[in-house]
Amino acid sequence: MENLTAEPPHVLAVTADPTVTQQLSDQLNEEFQLTSVQTANAALATLDETSDMQCIVSDYELPEVDGISLLETVRVQHPNLPFIIFTGKGSEAVASRAIHARVTDYLIMDRFDNQWNRVIELIKQAIEFHQARSNLTDMGVRLQNILQAFPDGVVILQDNSIESANQKARDILGIGASVDLVGSSLDNIIPTDNTFSENNLSAISSGELYIDRVEIDSLGTSLKSAVELTTARINWGQAPAVLLIIEDISQRKTSERALARANEQLRVVNRVTRHDIRNDMTVIAGWSGELSSHLDDEGQAILDRIQKTVECVTDLTTTVHDFIEALGTGQRPKLEPTAVCDTLDSEVAKCRSMYPKATFQVDDEFPDISVQANDLLSSVFRNILNNAVQHNHNENPVIEVGCRATDGMVRISVADDGSGIPDGQKDSVFGRDQDGLDDPAAGLGLYLVNQLVDGYNGEVWVEDNEPAGSVFVVELNRTHEGQIAG
């Protein structure tokens, strides 16, 4: 592999003394890329032609103008370029002029026995310092660019004073771009009131991880902004600081309120509709029972279909109710230890009663274990069991139900002997594809199953059964003794 080394620093030497020129060449060429000129005008021309010059070393005594006059001219175009002046005869007046012109270093040559080693040392120090300062400046510019591009308001605090604030923070707080915030205290821009207290300010100033939702005044207006404040300790300019992020959540709060209203309205509609539909289905079931003794065999077959439809509609109202309950506030459900096999036994018993022509083959004994779930776990099993019967083309379907436990998981399987589910629809039936419930293969019951199992941090999928049919598999996290479900 080729060994790549950095180019030596480029140094411009300015002196009209041939002896000094030769000495500079002899001493500096080993450490630096050296360019030598004799006059100030030649030095300025070289600077214009060269973009990589990193330091100027100039004799004080030059033809036409002195080294300090050259320094003053260079500073107009290159205010931070390292510039070292050396002289054989120094004076306080010369030193004062050089310092006033912002010389990097000033060296009286006769004072040092190893004077050229001293010059080399000063050049290296000046270049290193200039590079470090440039890096810090570049980093500061990059940080400011990042802050300005940040989508939320950002304020940097040091010793309870503002060091920096981006435009988004100004917009949220109602502060114009012309207002100088540097050095201001936080309570000058976020007034305390009954919603934003001194405790809020104290928590922010401490720099501890802090997240809170508050409403703050926008300065110069009567409006309040709903914001989320997040703080953390950082280093800023190599010193401890506090990062304050101000996120405007006014739109989110409006959406949350609208969603809460919609959810409440949906619950009311669900309650009323479910009550009315179930009442109507009860009436239909009652009258159809009265018809039974008046029908021949053909009529009885039609009545059986009517009664089965009544059962399906009634079951659908339960599924819709569970679905709306599962929607909740959009947050993940609170989980608790739930007896999985007791719940499964209960749902199998209900299905046996509802579908007397179906055969349910159940493991001899389910293990007595709990999983991380909630009371809607019954809806998971009910919808899978109902699906196994309702979508089965056989007149007398056979459903096999199993439950197996490992150290960390519980796996429940429901196998049917129906026509099966094509591989391309094994996800679609749960509404997992892009179209969700709009997919023709999706059903509300299995969509609800997928949503509930996902909320339980479990998994559900479909496999092929042999020789025909499908196997629905639900895998849930086991709750061991003494464990608290999350």
Side-chain angles (χ1 to χ4, degrees):
M1 183 176 179
E2 183 181 359
N3 184 22
L4 299 178
T5 57
E7 291 289 331
H10 197 174
V11 175
L12 176 61
V14 189
T15 179
D17 187 330
T19 302
V20 174
T21 299
Q22 186 60 48
Q23 290 175 337
L24 284 168
S25 177
D26 292 342
Q27 299 296 326
L28 270 61
N29 266 328
E30 292 185 5
E31 301 279 353
F32 309 104
Q33 177 187 347
L34 186 66
T35 297
S36 297
V37 297
Q38 296 181 348
T39 66
N41 285 335
L44 295 174
T46 301
L47 277 181
D48 288 341
E49 298 167 358
T50 308
S51 61
D52 65 342
M53 199 64 68
Q54 293 178 261
C55 184
I56 298 175
V57 181
S58 176
D59 198 339
Y60 169 67
E61 297 179 356
L62 296 174
E64 300 177 357
V65 298
D66 58 32
I68 296 178
S69 297
L70 171 61
L71 167 62
E72 292 170 339
T73 304
V74 168
R75 281 287 174 258
V76 175
Q77 296 295 327
H78 306 278
N80 298 313
L81 181 65
F83 196 115
I84 298 172
I85 292 179
F86 61 90
T87 181
K89 299 178 181 179
S91 69
E92 289 186 5
V94 172
S96 177
R97 278 187 60 209
I99 293 170
H100 182 72
R102 292 190 295 122
V103 70
T104 305
D105 232 314
Y106 175 76
L107 182 66
I108 301 175
M109 301 294 289
D110 291 344
R111 294 184 180 180
F112 297 93
D113 294 334
N114 55 345
Q115 55 189 14
W116 294 117
N117 288 340
R118 178 60 177 162
V119 170
I120 291 172
E121 181 183 346
L122 290 177
I123 293 173
K124 288 181 177 179
Q125 290 176 353
I127 291 174
E128 289 175 2
F129 178 79
H130 175 67
Q131 186 61 54
R133 184 167 61 180
S134 297
N135 290 341
L136 285 174
T137 301
D138 291 345
M139 184 179 297
V141 171
R142 288 197 295 270
L143 285 173
Q144 288 296 335
N145 289 337
I146 291 172
L147 290 185
Q148 293 303 328
F150 205 72
D152 299 323
V154 179
V155 177
I156 307 296
L157 300 167
Q158 282 184 326
D159 297 326
N160 296 325
S161 296
I162 297 173
E163 281 295 314
S164 182
N166 68 356
Q167 185 59 45
K168 186 64 177 180
R170 290 174 174 271
D171 293 342
I172 294 173
L173 298 171
I175 300 172
S178 61
V179 178
D180 185 10
L181 293 179
V182 176
S184 300
S185 62
L186 191 61
D187 56 4
N188 285 341
I189 63 171
I190 307 181
T192 57
D193 56 18
N194 59 340
T195 59
F196 189 82
S197 65
E198 292 287 348
N199 290 336
N200 294 117
L201 281 175
S202 178
I204 293 172
S205 300
S206 70
E208 297 292 343
L209 181 60
Y210 166 84
I211 300 176
D212 198 8
R213 286 186 174 190
V214 296
E215 289 192 349
I216 57 176
D217 289 314
S218 293
L219 296 184
T221 73
S222 59
L223 302 176
K224 281 186 176 291
S225 297
V227 298
E228 185 170 271
L229 304 176
T230 307
T231 65
R233 290 178 179 174
I234 62 169
N235 283 329
W236 181 265
Q238 299 181 330
V242 173
L243 170 69
L244 170 61
I245 298 176
I246 309 173
E247 181 184 0
D248 187 345
I249 59 171
S250 300
Q251 186 60 47
R252 191 197 309 173
K253 293 278 285 187
T254 301
S255 299
E256 287 174 353
R257 286 192 290 266
L259 180 61
R261 285 195 301 270
N263 282 340
E264 182 57 32
Q265 292 166 354
L266 188 59
R267 290 190 189 95
V268 171
V269 171
N270 171 55
R271 228 172 12 247
V272 173
T273 305
R274 182 167 175 260
H275 177 268
D276 291 350
I277 291 175
R278 291 176 75 91
N279 281 351
D280 289 344
M281 290 301 103
T282 300
V283 171
I284 293 172
W287 281 110
S288 64
E290 294 293 326
L291 283 174
S292 182
S293 60
H294 302 284
L295 300 175
D296 56 17
D297 290 344
E298 184 178 355
Q300 186 63 48
I302 296 173
L303 180 62
D304 288 344
R305 290 197 294 272
I306 292 174
Q307 290 177 329
K308 186 174 182 180
T309 301
V310 169
E311 292 172 352
C312 289
V313 171
T314 302
D315 183 64
L316 180 60
T317 63
T318 302
T319 299
V320 171
H321 171 266
D322 291 346
F323 179 73
I324 293 175
E325 288 299 311
L327 287 178
T329 61
Q331 299 176 348
R332 296 193 74 83
K334 182 179 180 180
L335 306 184
E336 57 190 12
T338 305
V340 61
C341 294
D342 288 349
T343 305
L344 184 57
D345 268 334
S346 176
E347 292 306 317
V348 170
K350 292 177 184 177
C351 281
R352 280 181 172 143
S353 175
M354 184 178 296
Y355 306 109
K357 292 184 179 181
T359 300
F360 291 87
Q361 298 177 353
V362 181
D363 286 352
D364 292 339
E365 184 176 349
F366 286 152
D368 182 18
I369 50 180
S370 295
V371 295
Q372 297 184 29
N374 58 19
D375 56 3
L376 288 177
L377 180 61
S378 59
S379 187
V380 171
F381 298 146
R382 179 169 62 254
N383 280 286
I384 292 177
L385 290 166
N386 287 346
N387 182 80
V389 177
Q390 293 171 3
H391 297 279
N392 197 313
H393 63 279
N394 295 318
E395 185 176 352
N396 301 107
V398 177
I399 314 298
E400 298 177 359
V401 182
C403 182
R404 297 287 182 271
T406 65
D407 287 343
M409 308 295 295
V410 176
R411 179 174 291 189
I412 301 96
S413 61
V414 177
D416 64 62
D417 59 348
S419 57
I421 298 174
D423 289 342
Q425 295 181 1
K426 283 185 167 65
D427 277 334
S428 301
V429 295
F430 295 107
R432 290 174 180 159
D433 288 348
Q434 183 176 354
D435 293 335
L437 273 174
D438 292 332
D439 193 300
L444 180 61
L446 292 181
Y447 181 84
L448 173 60
V449 166
N450 183 67
Q451 295 298 310
L452 289 173
V453 172
D454 180 69
Y456 300 155
N457 302 311
E459 294 185 58
V460 59
W461 66 89
V462 185
E463 300 174 351
D464 292 329
N465 196 15
E466 295 296 339
S470 300
V471 182
F472 281 76
V473 183
V474 178
E475 198 169 66
L476 300 171
N477 292 298
R478 185 173 177 178
T479 304
H480 295 284
E481 185 177 354
Q483 179 182 351
I484 300 175

